[in-house]
Amino acid sequence: MKPVPVNTPIFSHREKELLDQCIDTGWISSEGPFIKEFEEKFSGYIGRKFGVACANGSGALDIAVAALKLKEGDEVIIPAFTIISPAFSVIRAGAKPVLVDSDPITWNMDVNQVESKITSRTKAIIAVHIYGLPVDMDPLLDLCRKHNLFLIEDAAEMHGQTYKNKKCGSFGDISIFSFYPNKHITTGEGGMVVTDNEELAQRSRKLRNLSFEPDKPRYVHYEFGWNYRMTNMQAALGLAQLEYIEQHITRKREIGKLYNSELKNISGIQLPKEITDYAENIYWVYGIVLKESRIKNAAQIMKMLSEKKIGTRSFFYPMHLQPVFVKMGLFKDEKYPVAENLAENGFYIPSGLGITNDQIKEVSQTLMRILG
Ligand SMILES: *Cc1c(COP(=O)(O)O)cnc(C)c1O
C-alpha cells in the first residue's frame, strides 16, 4: 500500500503561468502587482472592503491584535482549544488571554460560557472557527454589542464557509485567513487581514511593513511593526488558487461526506457533525474523537495508522496545559474538560485536496480494522 499523507495540496496550470510572469517581469517582492490584485479579489470574495496580504496567518493575527491597539491590562477571550497563534498574539501585545471551553459537538468555543468570562477589562473576543464548522456567531455578536467589545475572527480554516449564508471572515471588526498548504487555497506560506474599516486596514498595512509611515520621511519610525509582507510569487499562487476555490470547497465537502458514510458503522467514535442550524461542515480536516469506552487512546491509534503508512495529526493541545504558558504562571488550576478530552482522544486523518476516493476507502477500511 502506498503511503497516504495527511495533506497534499493540488494545483492547476494557472499557478505556473502566473509564477512565470513573476520571473519574466522580475516582480518577485511585495512590491509586485499581484499583491494588490490578490488582496482585492480575496477580500471581495469574502465580502469585505479591504484585504492586507501577510507572510502567514499567525502574523495576520499579530497585526489584527496590534491594529486594535490591545495592550497591557486588557483581557481577550479566546478558546482553550485552538492553534496557539491567537494566544501568542494576545500575550505579545501585553494583554491577557482568558479561556473558554469547547462545545463537545462542534469543537468550537462554547458561546454559552463566554459572558461569565467578561470583566471590566475585557476588550475583545477572538472567535476561532475550528476544523469545519463555524463558531455560533449571533450570540457572540450580541455579547460584543452589549459589552462594547471588538470581535476578531480567526477564519484561517474557513475560506468560503458560511454562517447563516454569510461568509466566515465577514463578521469580525477585523478577521484573518491563512494560506498554509493545508488550507482551502494556499500560497505556500501566507495570510490575509480583512476588514471593512479603512483605518484598521491602513494600520494593518503599516504594521505589516515595519510601521514605515506612508506620508513621513522614509526610515523614520514612530511605532513598532513587523516585516510580515507577502511576496508577489505567493500572491501569484493565491490568485491562481482563487480561480478554483469553489471546486476546492465542493471537493472538501465530498471528502468529508465520503468518510462519513465509510465510517458511520464504527461504534465508540464521534465523527464531525455534517450540518447545524447555521452551517454545513466544510471539513477543513476530517477529525475523529474516540469515546471514553475505547481502551486505546488517540496516540495509540495514530501510531497503528502510521505503521500502515497513513498520515494523521493529533488535535490541538489546550492552551491552559501548554508548557510555555504554565512556565509563565498562566491559567493556573484552570480546567477545561471538553478541550482536554478533545486533545486526548481526537486526531485527524488524511483529508487534503489531493486525496483520492480510493485512498479515502483504504484509510477507512484500515481504521475499521484497527478499531474493530
Ligand atoms: C493555520 C491556522 C493559523 C495560522 O496560520 P499560519 O499561516 O500557519 O501561521 C491560525 N489559526 C488557525 C485556526 C489555523 O488553522
Side-chain angles (χ1 to χ4, degrees), residues 299-343:
Q300 288 167 311
I301 306 290
M302 287 164 63
K303 184 161 175 285
M304 292 166 86
L305 284 167
S306 150
E307 281 159 9
K308 302 281 179 204
K309 299 193 168 52
I310 293 172
T312 58
R313 285 280 184 286
S314 50
F315 268 15
F316 295 133
Y317 193 68
M319 293 306 106
H320 62 297
L321 302 178
Q322 293 287 353
V324 56
F325 299 147
V326 170
K327 260 194 301 194
M328 295 169 75
L330 287 170
F331 316 126
K332 202 160 172 283
D333 300 325
E334 294 180 25
K335 288 202 168 46
Y336 301 95
V338 179
E340 287 167 32
N341 179 58
L342 290 173

Side-chain angles (χ1 to χ4, degrees), residues 13 26 31 54 64 107 128 159 164 184 196 209 214 235 286 305 323:
H13 62 105
E31 296 285 310
C54 308
W107 309 333
V128 185
H159 316 63
K164 298 189 179 171
H184 298 103
D196 292 333
N209 190 24
Y286 193 91
L305 284 167

Side-chain angles (χ1 to χ4, degrees), residues 58 99 124 133 159 180 220 223 225 229 234 240 251 272 292 322 350:
S58 304
L99 305 181
L133 286 169
H159 316 63
Y180 190 71
V220 183
E223 276 184 87
R229 300 184 300 255
Q234 289 166 294
R251 178 61 189 153
E292 282 147 39
Q322 293 287 353

Side-chain angles (χ1 to χ4, degrees), residues 61 76-88 90 97-103 107-111 113-114 117 124-130 135 140 151-154 316-322 325 331 334 336 339 342:
L61 274 167
V76 181
I77 294 175
I78 68 168
F81 183 73
T82 169
I83 190 165
I84 206 158
S85 310
F88 275 173
V90 169
V98 173
L99 305 181
V100 171
D101 206 358
S102 304
D103 176 289
W107 309 333
N108 276 307
M109 175 194 262
D110 181 353
V111 291
Q113 297 184 35
V114 172
K117 299 280 180 153
I125 300 175
I126 304 184
V128 185
H129 304 297
I130 288 171
V135 177
L140 269 196
L151 179 67
I152 300 176
E153 217 185 330
D154 180 345
F316 295 133
Y317 193 68
M319 293 306 106
H320 62 297
L321 302 178
Q322 293 287 353
F325 299 147
F331 316 126
E334 294 180 25
Y336 301 95
L342 290 173

